[in-house]
Amino acid sequence: AAVDSTNSTSTHWSPAHSSTLYRIDSWGAPYFAVNDSGNITVRPHGSSTLSHQEIDLLKVVKKASDPKSVGGLGLQMPLIVRFPDVLKNRLESLQSAFVSAIQTQGYESHYQGVYPVKCNQDRFVVEDIVKFGAPFRFGLEAGSKPELLLAMSCLCKGNSEALLICNGFKDAEYISLALLARKFQFNTVIVLEQEEEVKLVIDISKKLSVRPVIGLRAKLRTKHSGHFGSTSGEKGKFGLTTNQILRVVKDLHDSDMLDCLQLLHFHIGSQIPSTALLQDGVSEAAQIYSELTRLGADMKVIDIGGGLGIDYDGSKSGNSDLSVSYSLEEYASAVVNAIRVVCDRKSVKHPIICSESGRAIVSHHSILIFEATSTTDTVPSMNQINLPFIELSEDARSDYWNMSDAVMRHDNETCLFYADQLKQRCVEQFKEGSLGIEQLAAVDGLFDLVTKIIVGTEPIRTYL
């Protein structure tokens, strides 16, 4: 019905039909479209892309795969094609969404995001993010020692105010490296995820004579039940409970380091389906942030973690693991509003808002292209159907004649019923060992042919 409504007067398949069938304008907007030739095009600057800037993907593949003798690159499939301009547009769009929400709501601080390098550690991806994000202090998040090393090497060329968030399990070596990064003038924040990490940070920072900036990861009550929600909620794997948070605050106070506690981090779960759930979680975290301020911590940043979702299937549904029911602008507005309301109620200064969006930044910018080496076709030709009735059971033969009678009467519904009945009886015969595989194949072919003629469906072709 959706395809017919695209061009009800046309009797020929068209690029517009394909675009509708594959929902390209839904999941692909504003970066992917179909041109008049029926080829996928990439719009590297999103909705700001001019017509002459669109990139025909088929031409890219041809250039990449053609032999060098004819001017190609001679590359073999599969290929990953990256579009750095799409990456740049995603960063700018995320920044713009938060700036707009902050200005509209009169929020009295700013947004400063980080990219979690675990999402895609490719050198050129991380370096591009640092370069494109430098004008708005965009930083990096690391979850391990190797990630921290690569983040440090990339941020050397970034904005000096960009955050370097250190998450994940931390042994003495990780903490020492993070503290050295602070000594090298990186804006490093060590986020405590286990209670025992606080004593390591206190001891090592004193040995190295480095005053650390510390964050806490709170284990929120708020969680979502989707595919990516298992690491969130009270029983989530990561973060500190309220009791643990209070003990960490006491340890820092006793060591005269409570002023080092400046960031609160949490993570509701990846691919958050709705802004209602988002606001619930952010509001809970803002309450904890306000309480930490009351307890004497020098709080400055609230890190909302990841969770900004991608509409993979184009349905714009909050009930699907493959979609979300909000836009980038609605996401930013919900976050800013939730923090502002709580902080105003508690008379707490508005914090810097940080997010760790991974998939929302990089997902659109690369495409995997692979060859279809062959196809399978499921509908046999008429000469392949040879039904030896002598081997069929009496019930099966009766179904066949009933089907034939229905054909003569043009009673399609009855015909389909008996065709299906015939097939099921023959399957049972085959399972019992009283029907050969050749006969079963002939029955399958007859059923497929009857279905094709009556329902009028095209044969299903599977590309391998």
Side-chain angles (χ1 to χ4, degrees):
V3 171
D4 289 344
S5 66
T6 304
N7 190 353
S8 57
T9 59
S10 172
T11 56
H12 301 288
W13 197 260
S14 69
H17 286 118
S18 283
S19 182
T20 302
L21 178 66
Y22 294 111
R23 286 177 160 183
I24 290 169
D25 291 335
S26 297
W27 60 257
Y31 300 107
F32 305 103
V34 176
N35 64 15
D36 292 339
S37 301
N39 298 337
I40 292 282
T41 61
V42 179
R43 310 179 76 226
H45 309 294
S47 54
S48 301
T49 306
L50 303 176
S51 57
H52 71 276
Q53 294 173 320
E54 288 194 9
I55 300 166
D56 188 320
L57 202 53
L58 193 62
K59 291 179 180 178
V60 174
V61 175
K62 184 168 169 42
K63 175 71 175 177
S65 59
D66 276 356
K68 292 182 180 179
S69 58
V70 294
L73 299 176
L75 301 176
Q76 290 186 317
M77 302 291 179
L79 295 172
I80 290 182
V81 183
R82 302 191 188 281
F83 296 91
D85 285 324
V86 172
L87 204 57
K88 185 171 186 281
N89 186 266
R90 290 302 293 169
L91 277 169
E92 291 173 345
S93 298
L94 181 62
Q95 182 72 19
S96 175
F98 272 99
V99 168
S100 176
I102 284 167
Q103 290 175 347
T104 302
Q105 299 185 36
Y107 192 83
E108 295 172 358
S109 191
H110 65 273
Y111 168 75
Q112 194 171 333
V114 296
Y115 167 68
V117 295
K118 69 183 177 196
C119 194
N120 187 327
Q121 305 97 333
D122 184 272
R123 172 187 168 186
F124 299 105
V125 173
V126 181
E127 287 181 347
D128 277 346
I129 287 172
V130 170
K131 180 176 71 175
F132 298 145
F136 28 87
R137 299 169 285 200
F138 210 88
L140 297 175
E141 180 269 347
S144 65
K145 285 174 279 190
E147 287 179 4
L148 178 52
L149 285 167
L150 75 85
M152 289 167 65
S153 70
C154 290
L155 277 178
C156 285
K157 298 176 182 177
N159 191 308
S160 61
E161 295 181 47
L163 289 165
L164 175 52
I165 303 290
C166 299
N167 288 331
F169 172 77
K170 297 169 197 71
D171 58 12
E173 194 175 26
Y174 186 168
I175 291 168
S176 298
L177 182 60
L179 290 168
L180 284 173
R182 184 135 197 99
K183 220 169 191 177
F184 294 152
Q185 303 302 308
F186 288 102
N187 192 9
T188 312
V189 183
I190 300 173
V191 179
L192 307 178
E193 301 201 21
Q194 312 268 346
E195 188 178 353
E196 55 268 25
E197 291 171 356
V198 68
K199 297 192 186 302
L200 277 175
V201 172
I202 292 169
D203 292 343
I204 297 171
S205 64
K206 286 179 178 176
K207 285 178 186 175
L208 295 177
S209 300
V210 179
R211 197 76 176 165
V213 173
I214 298 171
L216 297 178
R217 176 166 179 173
K219 189 180 287 188
L220 301 186
R221 268 75 167 178
T222 306
K223 66 169 292 181
H224 74 83
S225 56
H227 179 68
F228 297 100
S230 61
T231 57
S232 62
E234 261 187 296
K235 295 182 180 177
K237 291 182 281 187
F238 309 109
L240 304 173
T241 64
T242 49
N243 277 323
Q244 290 173 323
I245 288 172
L246 289 174
R247 287 198 293 267
V248 167
V249 167
K250 184 179 185 306
D251 287 341
L252 290 172
H253 179 270
D254 292 346
S255 301
D256 196 27
M257 291 177 65
L258 189 54
D259 61 307
C260 295
L261 180 54
Q262 298 180 13
L263 179 145
L264 177 71
H265 170 48
F266 66 95
H267 179 66
I268 299 171
S270 296
Q271 196 73 1
I272 297 171
S274 69
T275 54
L277 179 66
L278 175 68
Q279 278 196 288
D280 193 25
V282 174
S283 295
E284 182 186 347
Q287 294 283 359
I288 298 172
Y289 180 94
S290 300
E291 288 298 293
L292 288 171
T293 301
R294 182 180 64 80
L295 291 171
D298 188 18
M299 300 302 291
K300 293 178 181 176
V301 183
I302 187 163
D303 178 355
I304 64 173
L308 174 54
I310 293 293
D311 190 5
Y312 290 107
D313 62 13
S315 65
K316 293 183 170 47
S317 166
N319 299 318
S320 167
D321 288 345
L322 299 175
S323 185
V324 291
S325 61
Y326 52 83
S327 65
L328 205 56
E329 291 72 22
E330 288 168 334
Y331 173 87
S333 181
V335 169
V336 172
N337 180 67
I339 297 172
R340 180 184 59 80
V341 168
V342 172
C343 288
D344 286 351
R345 188 168 61 233
K346 296 278 189 173
S347 300
V348 170
K349 184 180 177 182
H350 294 172
I352 296 167
I353 298 173
C354 176
S355 73
E356 301 178 3
S357 299
R359 76 178 68 223
I361 290 175
V362 298
S363 291
H364 301 83
H365 101 285
S366 65
I367 299 168
L368 174 65
I369 299 166
F370 50 91
E371 286 180 299
T373 57
S374 64
T375 63
T376 59
D377 207 329
T378 57
V379 178
S381 59
M382 278 296 289
N383 59 13
Q384 289 177 288
I385 298 171
N386 179 21
L387 208 57
F389 291 97
I390 194 162
E391 294 192 36
L392 297 182
S393 67
E394 186 177 336
D395 287 340
R397 286 201 295 272
S398 175
D399 287 330
Y400 176 80
W401 292 119
N402 285 332
M403 182 184 73
S404 300
D405 289 343
V407 169
M408 300 303 292
R409 298 194 310 272
H410 302 290
D411 185 350
N412 292 346
E413 194 172 326
T414 302
C415 181
L416 278 173
F417 171 79
Y418 282 113
D420 182 63
Q421 193 99 321
L422 170 64
K423 181 177 178 177
Q424 296 310 317
R425 289 195 201 280
C426 290
V427 167
E428 290 304 317
Q429 267 192 269
F430 179 75
K431 287 179 180 179
E432 292 164 2
S434 59
L435 192 70
I437 194 169
E438 298 89 348
Q439 288 72 44
L440 182 63
V443 171
D444 284 340
L446 178 64
F447 176 80
D448 290 340
L449 189 65
V450 168
T451 304
K452 180 182 184 300
I453 292 169
I454 292 176
V455 180
T457 56
E458 291 295 318
I460 296 170
R461 181 171 293 166
T462 303
Y463 292 86
L464 308 174

